[in-house]
Amino acid sequence: VAGHFGYRKRDQHTWVQNFKLCDGKLQSPISISSFKSITLPLPALEIIGYHDFLSSPLYLKNNGHSVVVNVNNHLGKRLPYIFGGSLDINQEYEVDHLHFHWGAKNNRGSEHMLNGIRYPMEMHIVHRNRIYSSLSNALNYKNGLVVLGIFFQEEDNKSLYSIVNHLTSVRWINNETKLNTSITLGSLLPKNTDVFYSYKGSLTTPPCNEVVTWIIFSMPVPISFSQLNKFRLLSNGNNLIADNYRKLQNIGLRKVYIRKL
Ligand code: B30
Ligand code: ZN
């Protein structure tokens, strides 16, 4: 089966019928403009444990609407976490999983747009507020999640190799494979994390809970054409997963903040 929601235009229109929250006022993604953003003297985002190798085994899974690396069950060390930046004081957010949104062509794929640009891919590193015991629990609270949004632009990149080299093993829905090399989350981040946008929004997929503090890095990460094409072969059984991005949502009364140096 193709999963519980689809991305084609006529499918996206049905989201609100089945998932009422998708019709809310704080939905994601949005189009971000540096000119319309409010500059705040925010402290740096503290990114802890991102250079530790995640203890294996790490699994890569095709869930029918994206490809996911779960990090939440990694044992031993403390999970990588973030705090500071635009986040409420004393709130720490532990990494749960990462996944990707991509296009069939280079002119589309990212969910957020930045200064009129839609990038070919956007990675989401999803974090859960440490005060909540599970991801599903955190979905009930407006300070439940922080998602780091990372744009990719076409250019060669070594750091994605361990994930990309395993994509052929998860071509079909519910395929899962063990990564044979460990990864560090830090290698997946842009070189510069000093400049970012932040706003209050939602899950970009049903059930669309408005519980996400979005942090979108201004600097993209490079990815090669051949690496992008490996994402583009992934299937949900009926169709390619490519173009698994949600249409832009109204910003409404919300403000987008920018931290710069
Ligand atoms: S996103 O980063 O805004 N795209 C979830 C987390 C982050 C985003 C979207 C969704 C999430 O936690 N969803 C609920 C859990 N899902 C897992 C999933 O996304 O795979 C269960 C589900 O939906 O029923 Cu299919
Ligand atoms: Zn996402």
Side-chain angles (χ1 to χ4, degrees):
V1 290
H4 44 282
F5 61 87
Y7 279 100
R8 289 173 302 187
K9 225 172 215 156
R10 62 176 176 280
D11 292 328
Q12 290 203 36
H13 281 123
T14 67
W15 289 12
V16 295
Q17 293 158 27
N18 302 318
F19 306 95
K20 291 228 157 44
L21 297 178
C22 297
D23 203 20
K25 297 266 181 273
L26 306 174
Q27 290 293 291
S28 295
I30 60 168
S31 182
I32 296 171
S33 155
S34 56
F35 306 107
K36 292 181 189 160
S37 301
I38 298 170
T39 304
L40 282 185
L42 294 169
L45 182 69
E46 301 291 334
I47 302 173
I48 312 299
Y50 263 57
H51 284 286
D52 301 342
F53 282 103
L54 297 165
S55 32
S56 23
L58 283 174
Y59 290 91
L60 182 69
K61 185 174 182 181
N62 174 338
N63 67 12
H65 48 88
S66 188
V67 60
V68 181
V69 180
N70 272 307
V71 179
N72 48 17
N73 52 3
H74 108 117
L75 302 169
K77 294 173 250 171
R78 234 175 157 197
L79 288 167
Y81 66 100
I82 58 176
F83 67 96
S86 55
L87 306 178
D88 285 343
I89 198 143
N90 289 336
Q91 301 289 298
E92 294 180 350
Y93 291 80
E94 293 179 329
V95 66
D96 180 85
H97 75 271
L98 62 89
H99 64 260
F100 300 85
H101 303 262
W102 64 92
K105 295 264 169 61
N106 271 5
N107 65 354
R108 58 183 192 263
S110 72
E111 296 211 289
H112 290 89
M113 289 183 69
L114 179 55
N115 292 332
I117 298 173
R118 206 184 266 291
Y119 289 91
M121 188 159 83
E122 182 173 332
M123 178 175 66
H124 290 155
I125 310 181
V126 179
H127 299 72
R128 167 189 46 78
N129 192 321
R130 177 172 276 151
I131 67 180
Y132 305 122
S133 56
S134 66
L135 187 77
S136 56
N137 193 231
L139 293 180
N140 299 313
Y141 301 93
K142 66 182 199 304
N143 63 355
L145 301 186
V146 173
V147 181
L148 298 183
I150 293 143
F151 296 121
F152 286 80
Q153 74 178 7
E154 196 196 321
E155 204 183 309
D156 209 48
N157 174 26
K158 288 203 190 68
S159 48
L160 262 181
Y161 285 177
S162 49
I163 291 175
V164 169
N165 289 342
H166 287 79
L167 289 175
T168 50
S169 308
V170 295
R171 179 155 181 197
W172 307 106
I173 184 167
N174 294 330
N175 284 174
E176 188 169 28
T177 191
K178 199 196 267 191
L179 297 183
N180 61 19
T181 51
S182 196
I183 57 172
T184 71
L185 294 174
S187 67
L188 304 174
L189 295 181
K191 277 206 228 56
N192 180 315
T193 55
D194 293 330
V195 182
F196 58 81
Y197 298 87
S198 187
Y199 78 98
K200 299 284 191 187
S202 74
L203 305 182
T204 63
T205 63
C208 304
N209 307 51
E210 294 177 337
V211 299
V212 179
T213 302
W214 280 94
I215 295 176
I216 311 280
F217 294 115
S218 173
M219 178 180 273
V221 165
I223 182 167
S224 72
F225 185 64
S226 71
Q227 288 177 322
L228 280 167
N229 282 342
K230 290 179 177 151
F231 284 92
R232 291 170 178 153
L233 291 174
L234 300 178
S235 167
N236 66 23
N238 297 325
N239 301 100
L240 298 179
I241 296 173
D243 296 328
N244 57 345
Y245 61 93
R246 189 186 190 188
K247 63 182 190 233
L248 292 171
Q249 304 294 302
N250 292 325
I251 190 165
L253 300 174
R254 289 177 286 180
K255 306 255 184 281
V256 177
Y257 299 98
I258 179 172
R259 175 183 191 270
K260 9 189 194 203
L261 278 186

mmCIF file of all heavy atoms in Angstrom, residues 24-63:
data_model
loop_
_atom_site.group_PDB
_atom_site.id
_atom_site.type_symbol
_atom_site.label_atom_id
_atom_site.label_comp_id
_atom_site.label_asym_id
_atom_site.label_seq_id
_atom_site.Cartn_x
_atom_site.Cartn_y
_atom_site.Cartn_z
ATOM 1 N N GLY A 24 -4.889 23.988 10.470
ATOM 2 C CA GLY A 24 -4.611 24.984 11.519
ATOM 3 C C GLY A 24 -3.939 26.238 10.987
ATOM 4 O O GLY A 24 -3.701 26.389 9.787
ATOM 5 N N LYS A 25 -3.642 27.129 11.927
ATOM 6 C CA LYS A 25 -3.086 28.442 11.576
ATOM 7 C C LYS A 25 -1.556 28.492 11.689
ATOM 8 O O LYS A 25 -0.941 29.519 11.410
ATOM 9 C CB LYS A 25 -3.661 29.516 12.516
ATOM 10 C CG LYS A 25 -5.172 29.687 12.386
ATOM 11 C CD LYS A 25 -5.502 30.805 11.411
ATOM 12 C CE LYS A 25 -6.998 31.043 11.269
ATOM 13 N NZ LYS A 25 -7.590 30.143 10.225
ATOM 14 N N LEU A 26 -0.947 27.406 12.150
ATOM 15 C CA LEU A 26 0.510 27.396 12.387
ATOM 16 C C LEU A 26 1.144 26.248 11.612
ATOM 17 O O LEU A 26 1.954 25.491 12.152
ATOM 18 C CB LEU A 26 0.805 27.237 13.890
ATOM 19 C CG LEU A 26 0.156 28.236 14.846
ATOM 20 C CD1 LEU A 26 0.438 27.840 16.298
ATOM 21 C CD2 LEU A 26 0.703 29.649 14.585
ATOM 22 N N GLN A 27 0.768 26.123 10.339
ATOM 23 C CA GLN A 27 1.211 24.964 9.569
ATOM 24 C C GLN A 27 2.555 25.202 8.875
ATOM 25 O O GLN A 27 2.974 26.325 8.635
ATOM 26 C CB GLN A 27 0.124 24.593 8.557
ATOM 27 C CG GLN A 27 -1.123 24.006 9.227
ATOM 28 C CD GLN A 27 -0.831 22.653 9.848
ATOM 29 O OE1 GLN A 27 -0.590 21.675 9.150
ATOM 30 N NE2 GLN A 27 -0.830 22.586 11.181
ATOM 31 N N SER A 28 3.197 24.106 8.528
ATOM 32 C CA SER A 28 4.496 24.107 7.842
ATOM 33 C C SER A 28 4.376 23.230 6.597
ATOM 34 O O SER A 28 3.550 22.309 6.580
ATOM 35 C CB SER A 28 5.570 23.529 8.763
ATOM 36 O OG SER A 28 5.746 24.376 9.878
ATOM 37 N N PRO A 29 5.196 23.450 5.579
ATOM 38 C CA PRO A 29 6.292 24.422 5.496
ATOM 39 C C PRO A 29 5.794 25.811 5.067
ATOM 40 O O PRO A 29 4.627 25.960 4.680
ATOM 41 C CB PRO A 29 7.170 23.819 4.403
ATOM 42 C CG PRO A 29 6.171 23.191 3.466
ATOM 43 C CD PRO A 29 5.088 22.640 4.355
ATOM 44 N N ILE A 30 6.688 26.784 5.115
ATOM 45 C CA ILE A 30 6.390 28.140 4.660
ATOM 46 C C ILE A 30 7.532 28.622 3.771
ATOM 47 O O ILE A 30 8.598 27.998 3.716
ATOM 48 C CB ILE A 30 6.207 29.121 5.840
ATOM 49 C CG1 ILE A 30 7.485 29.193 6.693
ATOM 50 C CG2 ILE A 30 4.993 28.744 6.691
ATOM 51 C CD1 ILE A 30 7.493 30.323 7.695
ATOM 52 N N SER A 31 7.258 29.715 3.087
ATOM 53 C CA SER A 31 8.293 30.379 2.306
ATOM 54 C C SER A 31 8.959 31.412 3.210
ATOM 55 O O SER A 31 8.270 32.241 3.808
ATOM 56 C CB SER A 31 7.624 31.051 1.099
ATOM 57 O OG SER A 31 8.605 31.669 0.307
ATOM 58 N N ILE A 32 10.270 31.339 3.320
ATOM 59 C CA ILE A 32 11.029 32.225 4.208
ATOM 60 C C ILE A 32 11.762 33.265 3.373
ATOM 61 O O ILE A 32 12.350 32.932 2.345
ATOM 62 C CB ILE A 32 12.042 31.406 5.048
ATOM 63 C CG1 ILE A 32 11.295 30.434 5.976
ATOM 64 C CG2 ILE A 32 12.969 32.311 5.835
ATOM 65 C CD1 ILE A 32 12.208 29.444 6.679
ATOM 66 N N SER A 33 11.683 34.510 3.809
ATOM 67 C CA SER A 33 12.413 35.588 3.145
ATOM 68 C C SER A 33 13.333 36.245 4.163
ATOM 69 O O SER A 33 12.889 36.615 5.253
ATOM 70 C CB SER A 33 11.424 36.621 2.597
ATOM 71 O OG SER A 33 12.066 37.880 2.475
ATOM 72 N N SER A 34 14.603 36.380 3.808
ATOM 73 C CA SER A 34 15.531 37.015 4.766
ATOM 74 C C SER A 34 15.122 38.459 5.035
ATOM 75 O O SER A 34 15.282 38.957 6.143
ATOM 76 C CB SER A 34 16.970 36.933 4.254
ATOM 77 O OG SER A 34 17.071 37.513 2.973
ATOM 78 N N PHE A 35 14.537 39.120 4.015
ATOM 79 C CA PHE A 35 14.167 40.532 4.168
ATOM 80 C C PHE A 35 12.992 40.722 5.109
ATOM 81 O O PHE A 35 12.879 41.730 5.779
ATOM 82 C CB PHE A 35 13.861 41.143 2.798
ATOM 83 C CG PHE A 35 14.981 40.960 1.830
ATOM 84 C CD1 PHE A 35 14.869 40.043 0.791
ATOM 85 C CD2 PHE A 35 16.168 41.668 1.981
ATOM 86 C CE1 PHE A 35 15.925 39.846 -0.088
ATOM 87 C CE2 PHE A 35 17.226 41.477 1.102
ATOM 88 C CZ PHE A 35 17.099 40.559 0.064
ATOM 89 N N LYS A 36 12.096 39.735 5.131
ATOM 90 C CA LYS A 36 10.905 39.852 5.984
ATOM 91 C C LYS A 36 11.131 39.249 7.369
ATOM 92 O O LYS A 36 10.237 39.279 8.207
ATOM 93 C CB LYS A 36 9.717 39.154 5.306
ATOM 94 C CG LYS A 36 9.251 39.865 4.038
ATOM 95 C CD LYS A 36 8.054 39.164 3.418
ATOM 96 C CE LYS A 36 7.727 39.735 2.050
ATOM 97 N NZ LYS A 36 6.919 38.798 1.238
ATOM 98 N N SER A 37 12.309 38.680 7.615
ATOM 99 C CA SER A 37 12.584 38.054 8.911
ATOM 100 C C SER A 37 13.077 39.095 9.903
ATOM 101 O O SER A 37 13.641 40.117 9.521
ATOM 102 C CB SER A 37 13.629 36.950 8.751
ATOM 103 O OG SER A 37 13.171 35.975 7.852
ATOM 104 N N ILE A 38 12.854 38.828 11.167
ATOM 105 C CA ILE A 38 13.232 39.753 12.234
ATOM 106 C C ILE A 38 14.549 39.286 12.845
ATOM 107 O O ILE A 38 14.640 38.159 13.341
ATOM 108 C CB ILE A 38 12.128 39.807 13.297
ATOM 109 C CG1 ILE A 38 10.835 40.339 12.649
ATOM 110 C CG2 ILE A 38 12.551 40.647 14.488
ATOM 111 C CD1 ILE A 38 9.624 40.216 13.517
ATOM 112 N N THR A 39 15.558 40.155 12.773
ATOM 113 C CA THR A 39 16.860 39.802 13.323
ATOM 114 C C THR A 39 16.813 39.889 14.843
ATOM 115 O O THR A 39 16.384 40.899 15.393
ATOM 116 C CB THR A 39 17.943 40.742 12.780
ATOM 117 O OG1 THR A 39 17.900 40.689 11.357
ATOM 118 C CG2 THR A 39 19.327 40.328 13.259
ATOM 119 N N LEU A 40 17.219 38.813 15.514
ATOM 120 C CA LEU A 40 17.283 38.803 16.974
ATOM 121 C C LEU A 40 18.715 38.481 17.395
ATOM 122 O O LEU A 40 19.402 37.706 16.723
ATOM 123 C CB LEU A 40 16.360 37.727 17.551
ATOM 124 C CG LEU A 40 14.864 37.991 17.627
ATOM 125 C CD1 LEU A 40 14.183 36.835 18.355
ATOM 126 C CD2 LEU A 40 14.566 39.315 18.329
ATOM 127 N N PRO A 41 19.165 39.083 18.522
ATOM 128 C CA PRO A 41 20.506 38.771 19.031
ATOM 129 C C PRO A 41 20.501 37.447 19.790
ATOM 130 O O PRO A 41 20.756 37.397 20.985
ATOM 131 C CB PRO A 41 20.798 39.955 19.954
ATOM 132 C CG PRO A 41 19.456 40.360 20.470
ATOM 133 C CD PRO A 41 18.460 40.059 19.366
ATOM 134 N N LEU A 42 20.159 36.367 19.085
ATOM 135 C CA LEU A 42 20.036 35.070 19.741
ATOM 136 C C LEU A 42 21.413 34.497 20.043
ATOM 137 O O LEU A 42 22.360 34.705 19.271
ATOM 138 C CB LEU A 42 19.282 34.100 18.826
ATOM 139 C CG LEU A 42 17.821 34.426 18.531
ATOM 140 C CD1 LEU A 42 17.291 33.533 17.408
ATOM 141 C CD2 LEU A 42 16.979 34.266 19.793
ATOM 142 N N PRO A 43 21.522 33.733 21.145
ATOM 143 C CA PRO A 43 22.758 32.987 21.359
ATOM 144 C C PRO A 43 22.887 31.902 20.291
ATOM 145 O O PRO A 43 21.914 31.585 19.604
ATOM 146 C CB PRO A 43 22.571 32.380 22.744
ATOM 147 C CG PRO A 43 21.097 32.300 22.936
ATOM 148 C CD PRO A 43 20.501 33.445 22.159
ATOM 149 N N ALA A 44 24.076 31.328 20.168
ATOM 150 C CA ALA A 44 24.277 30.230 19.216
ATOM 151 C C ALA A 44 23.396 29.056 19.603
ATOM 152 O O ALA A 44 23.039 28.881 20.773
ATOM 153 C CB ALA A 44 25.736 29.800 19.206
ATOM 154 N N LEU A 45 23.045 28.252 18.593
ATOM 155 C CA LEU A 45 22.393 26.974 18.870
ATOM 156 C C LEU A 45 23.481 26.019 19.352
ATOM 157 O O LEU A 45 24.497 25.842 18.674
ATOM 158 C CB LEU A 45 21.745 26.445 17.597
ATOM 159 C CG LEU A 45 20.976 25.136 17.770
ATOM 160 C CD1 LEU A 45 19.722 25.344 18.607
ATOM 161 C CD2 LEU A 45 20.617 24.550 16.410
ATOM 162 N N GLU A 46 23.291 25.446 20.523
ATOM 163 C CA GLU A 46 24.270 24.486 21.048
ATOM 164 C C GLU A 46 23.894 23.102 20.538
ATOM 165 O O GLU A 46 22.758 22.653 20.700
ATOM 166 C CB GLU A 46 24.278 24.494 22.581
ATOM 167 C CG GLU A 46 24.601 25.857 23.186
ATOM 168 C CD GLU A 46 26.048 26.281 22.962
ATOM 169 O OE1 GLU A 46 26.921 25.394 22.807
ATOM 170 O OE2 GLU A 46 26.303 27.500 22.927
ATOM 171 N N ILE A 47 24.855 22.463 19.880
ATOM 172 C CA ILE A 47 24.610 21.181 19.206
ATOM 173 C C ILE A 47 25.565 20.180 19.851
ATOM 174 O O ILE A 47 26.753 20.180 19.573
ATOM 175 C CB ILE A 47 24.867 21.339 17.693
ATOM 176 C CG1 ILE A 47 23.965 22.446 17.119
ATOM 177 C CG2 ILE A 47 24.647 20.027 16.957
ATOM 178 C CD1 ILE A 47 24.250 22.804 15.665
ATOM 179 N N ILE A 48 25.035 19.339 20.746
ATOM 180 C CA ILE A 48 25.878 18.507 21.604
ATOM 181 C C ILE A 48 25.865 17.054 21.137
ATOM 182 O O ILE A 48 24.798 16.503 20.867
ATOM 183 C CB ILE A 48 25.385 18.561 23.078
ATOM 184 C CG1 ILE A 48 25.145 20.012 23.532
ATOM 185 C CG2 ILE A 48 26.359 17.845 23.999
ATOM 186 C CD1 ILE A 48 26.348 20.903 23.500
ATOM 187 N N GLY A 49 27.053 16.458 21.054
ATOM 188 C CA GLY A 49 27.150 15.034 20.727
ATOM 189 C C GLY A 49 27.011 14.733 19.247
ATOM 190 O O GLY A 49 26.970 13.571 18.858
ATOM 191 N N TYR A 50 26.944 15.778 18.436
ATOM 192 C CA TYR A 50 26.779 15.561 17.001
ATOM 193 C C TYR A 50 28.036 15.010 16.335
ATOM 194 O O TYR A 50 27.962 14.559 15.192
ATOM 195 C CB TYR A 50 26.342 16.857 16.316
ATOM 196 C CG TYR A 50 24.858 16.977 16.093
ATOM 197 C CD1 TYR A 50 23.969 16.900 17.148
ATOM 198 C CD2 TYR A 50 24.347 17.141 14.807
ATOM 199 C CE1 TYR A 50 22.603 17.005 16.940
ATOM 200 C CE2 TYR A 50 22.981 17.247 14.589
ATOM 201 C CZ TYR A 50 22.121 17.177 15.647
ATOM 202 O OH TYR A 50 20.776 17.273 15.421
ATOM 203 N N HIS A 51 29.169 15.087 17.017
ATOM 204 C CA HIS A 51 30.369 14.527 16.413
ATOM 205 C C HIS A 51 30.729 13.157 16.972
ATOM 206 O O HIS A 51 31.693 12.541 16.562
ATOM 207 C CB HIS A 51 31.531 15.525 16.479
ATOM 208 C CG HIS A 51 31.357 16.604 15.438
ATOM 209 N ND1 HIS A 51 31.568 16.382 14.101
ATOM 210 C CD2 HIS A 51 30.916 17.879 15.543
ATOM 211 C CE1 HIS A 51 31.281 17.472 13.415
ATOM 212 N NE2 HIS A 51 30.883 18.400 14.260
ATOM 213 N N ASP A 52 29.905 12.656 17.890
ATOM 214 C CA ASP A 52 30.094 11.282 18.366
ATOM 215 C C ASP A 52 29.551 10.333 17.309
ATOM 216 O O ASP A 52 28.516 10.597 16.700
ATOM 217 C CB ASP A 52 29.300 11.036 19.659
ATOM 218 C CG ASP A 52 29.694 11.982 20.777
ATOM 219 O OD1 ASP A 52 30.788 12.572 20.674
ATOM 220 O OD2 ASP A 52 28.908 12.130 21.734
ATOM 221 N N PHE A 53 30.259 9.227 17.117
ATOM 222 C CA PHE A 53 29.695 8.186 16.255
ATOM 223 C C PHE A 53 28.482 7.592 16.948
ATOM 224 O O PHE A 53 28.537 7.293 18.139
ATOM 225 C CB PHE A 53 30.735 7.108 15.935
ATOM 226 C CG PHE A 53 31.705 7.559 14.882
ATOM 227 C CD1 PHE A 53 32.981 7.971 15.222
ATOM 228 C CD2 PHE A 53 31.316 7.602 13.553
ATOM 229 C CE1 PHE A 53 33.860 8.415 14.242
ATOM 230 C CE2 PHE A 53 32.195 8.040 12.574
ATOM 231 C CZ PHE A 53 33.462 8.448 12.923
ATOM 232 N N LEU A 54 27.398 7.459 16.218
ATOM 233 C CA LEU A 54 26.193 6.863 16.781
ATOM 234 C C LEU A 54 26.455 5.372 16.936
ATOM 235 O O LEU A 54 26.953 4.733 16.013
ATOM 236 C CB LEU A 54 25.010 7.132 15.851
ATOM 237 C CG LEU A 54 24.702 8.628 15.721
ATOM 238 C CD1 LEU A 54 23.797 8.903 14.531
ATOM 239 C CD2 LEU A 54 24.079 9.153 17.005
ATOM 240 N N SER A 55 26.136 4.831 18.097
ATOM 241 C CA SER A 55 26.443 3.420 18.274
ATOM 242 C C SER A 55 25.520 2.587 17.399
ATOM 243 O O SER A 55 24.326 2.819 17.331
ATOM 244 C CB SER A 55 26.353 3.004 19.742
ATOM 245 O OG SER A 55 25.389 3.741 20.410
ATOM 246 N N SER A 56 26.132 1.653 16.697
ATOM 247 C CA SER A 56 25.373 0.813 15.786
ATOM 248 C C SER A 56 24.581 -0.221 16.596
ATOM 249 O O SER A 56 24.864 -0.417 17.761
ATOM 250 C CB SER A 56 26.270 0.142 14.759
ATOM 251 O OG SER A 56 27.566 0.080 15.270
ATOM 252 N N PRO A 57 23.636 -0.908 16.028
ATOM 253 C CA PRO A 57 23.295 -0.789 14.629
ATOM 254 C C PRO A 57 22.328 0.370 14.357
ATOM 255 O O PRO A 57 21.441 0.628 15.138
ATOM 256 C CB PRO A 57 22.619 -2.115 14.316
ATOM 257 C CG PRO A 57 22.002 -2.533 15.613
ATOM 258 C CD PRO A 57 22.857 -1.948 16.704
ATOM 259 N N LEU A 58 22.583 1.052 13.246
ATOM 260 C CA LEU A 58 21.660 2.075 12.764
ATOM 261 C C LEU A 58 20.900 1.472 11.584
ATOM 262 O O LEU A 58 21.492 0.796 10.752
ATOM 263 C CB LEU A 58 22.428 3.300 12.275
ATOM 264 C CG LEU A 58 22.983 4.248 13.319
ATOM 265 C CD1 LEU A 58 23.825 5.303 12.639
ATOM 266 C CD2 LEU A 58 21.859 4.902 14.119
ATOM 267 N N TYR A 59 19.614 1.734 11.511
ATOM 268 C CA TYR A 59 18.802 1.187 10.431
ATOM 269 C C TYR A 59 18.281 2.296 9.534
ATOM 270 O O TYR A 59 17.903 3.364 10.011
ATOM 271 C CB TYR A 59 17.629 0.381 10.997
ATOM 272 C CG TYR A 59 18.084 -0.894 11.633
ATOM 273 C CD1 TYR A 59 18.405 -0.929 12.994
ATOM 274 C CD2 TYR A 59 18.237 -2.047 10.880
ATOM 275 C CE1 TYR A 59 18.858 -2.105 13.583
ATOM 276 C CE2 TYR A 59 18.685 -3.223 11.453
ATOM 277 C CZ TYR A 59 18.993 -3.244 12.805
ATOM 278 O OH TYR A 59 19.446 -4.387 13.379
ATOM 279 N N LEU A 60 18.292 2.013 8.246
ATOM 280 C CA LEU A 60 17.717 2.900 7.239
ATOM 281 C C LEU A 60 16.431 2.227 6.770
ATOM 282 O O LEU A 60 16.444 1.055 6.421
ATOM 283 C CB LEU A 60 18.699 3.026 6.080
ATOM 284 C CG LEU A 60 18.331 3.957 4.922
ATOM 285 C CD1 LEU A 60 18.377 5.400 5.379
ATOM 286 C CD2 LEU A 60 19.319 3.749 3.762
ATOM 287 N N LYS A 61 15.310 2.980 6.756
ATOM 288 C CA LYS A 61 14.029 2.362 6.397
ATOM 289 C C LYS A 61 13.240 3.218 5.418
ATOM 290 O O LYS A 61 13.164 4.433 5.563
ATOM 291 C CB LYS A 61 13.189 2.123 7.661
ATOM 292 C CG LYS A 61 11.902 1.370 7.352
ATOM 293 C CD LYS A 61 11.108 0.995 8.585
ATOM 294 C CE LYS A 61 9.873 0.192 8.147
ATOM 295 N NZ LYS A 61 9.037 -0.185 9.290
ATOM 296 N N ASN A 62 12.653 2.543 4.439
ATOM 297 C CA ASN A 62 11.691 3.143 3.518
ATOM 298 C C ASN A 62 10.310 2.975 4.147
ATOM 299 O O ASN A 62 9.819 1.851 4.271
ATOM 300 C CB ASN A 62 11.782 2.416 2.169
ATOM 301 C CG ASN A 62 10.729 2.862 1.170
ATOM 302 O OD1 ASN A 62 9.690 3.386 1.532
ATOM 303 N ND2 ASN A 62 10.997 2.616 -0.108
ATOM 304 N N ASN A 63 9.687 4.091 4.586
ATOM 305 C CA ASN A 63 8.369 3.974 5.229
ATOM 306 C C ASN A 63 7.239 4.307 4.247
ATOM 307 O O ASN A 63 6.098 4.508 4.661
ATOM 308 C CB ASN A 63 8.292 4.833 6.503
ATOM 309 C CG ASN A 63 8.357 6.315 6.207
ATOM 310 O OD1 ASN A 63 8.237 6.743 5.060
ATOM 311 N ND2 ASN A 63 8.546 7.122 7.236
#
